């Protein structure tokens, strides 16, 4: 029996969603009998940001037409770097999220923990640098775009 929302073919689950991310379903989907390691990164909205206390809401805005193609490039590069990867999940939210809600999810399964940890770390770091997604924060003293914004990079091969 398949996992609701998961792809029925292939080993990459990539999406930009405007509803809560299916963390538990993604973890179940990523399991494979040939993979003894599963690393999960679940990024959540926190109650503060640099110089901003009392954050109550974050709104993620995305260049939707480009997010999934970028995530697909990222997945392809991860598989080139770590050919033994099993399943890979790259999901990001858009819209308004409250403190504690999951905004980004990376799940990597692999035969061994070393490549699973390395690939998961590389995936979340590269996703943050290459996906055209921006956040606007609402906090005690006002609202504004996130302070860590920078130009969107290309997924690079190295």
């Amino acid at each position: 029996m398949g996992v609701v929302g998961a792809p029925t073919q292939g080993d990459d689950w990539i999406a930009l969603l405007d509803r809560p991310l299916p963390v538990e379903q993604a973890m179940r989907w990523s399991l494979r009998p040939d993979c003894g390691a599963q690393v999960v990164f679940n990024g959540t909205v926190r109650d503060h940001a640099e110089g901003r206390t009392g954050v109550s809401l974050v709104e993620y805005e995305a260049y939707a037409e480009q997010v999934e193609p970028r995530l697909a490039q990222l997945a392809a590069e991860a598989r080139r770097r770590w050919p033994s990867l099993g399943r890979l999940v790259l999901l990001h939210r858009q819209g308004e999220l409250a403190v504690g809600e999951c905004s980004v999810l990376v799940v990597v399964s692999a035969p061994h923990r070393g490549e699973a940890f390395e690939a998961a770390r590389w995936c979340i770091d590269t996703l943050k640098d290459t996906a055209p997604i921006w956040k606007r924060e609402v906090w005690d003293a006002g609202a504004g775009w996130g302070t860590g914004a920078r130009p969107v990079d290309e997924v690079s091969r190295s």
Side-chain angles (χ1 to χ4, degrees), residues 55-109:
V55 171
S56 59
L57 180 79
V58 172
E59 180 179 3
Y60 286 93
E61 183 176 302
Y63 180 13
E65 295 80 12
Q66 288 299 313
V67 171
E68 289 183 12
R70 284 290 174 97
L71 296 179
Q73 290 174 357
L74 194 156
E77 179 60 15
R79 290 187 177 286
R80 188 189 70 76
R81 291 172 183 237
W82 296 277
S84 65
L85 292 184
R87 287 193 164 163
L88 180 59
V89 177
L90 301 170
L91 305 177
H92 205 294
R93 279 285 301 271
Q94 65 179 344
E96 293 184 355
L97 283 76
V99 171
E101 285 191 81
C102 179
S103 59
V104 61
L105 179 65
V106 172
V107 184
V108 175
S109 65

Side-chain angles (χ1 to χ4, degrees), residues 1-91:
M1 184 167 152
V3 174
V4 175
T8 56
Q9 295 180 347
D11 288 317
D12 297 337
W13 184 356
I14 293 167
L16 176 67
L17 301 172
D18 58 4
R19 61 183 188 278
L21 298 183
V23 177
E24 292 165 10
Q25 295 90 334
M27 290 171 58
R28 277 197 316 275
W29 179 81
S30 72
L31 295 174
R32 283 188 5 182
D34 61 330
C35 293
Q38 180 188 50
V39 173
V40 178
F41 175 82
N42 175 3
T44 58
V45 175
R46 60 182 176 268
D47 67 357
H48 66 280
E50 186 178 333
R52 298 173 175 174
T53 58
V55 171
S56 59
L57 180 79
V58 172
E59 180 179 3
Y60 286 93
E61 183 176 302
Y63 180 13
E65 295 80 12
Q66 288 299 313
V67 171
E68 289 183 12
R70 284 290 174 97
L71 296 179
Q73 290 174 357
L74 194 156
E77 179 60 15
R79 290 187 177 286
R80 188 189 70 76
R81 291 172 183 237
W82 296 277
S84 65
L85 292 184
R87 287 193 164 163
L88 180 59
V89 177
L90 301 170
L91 305 177

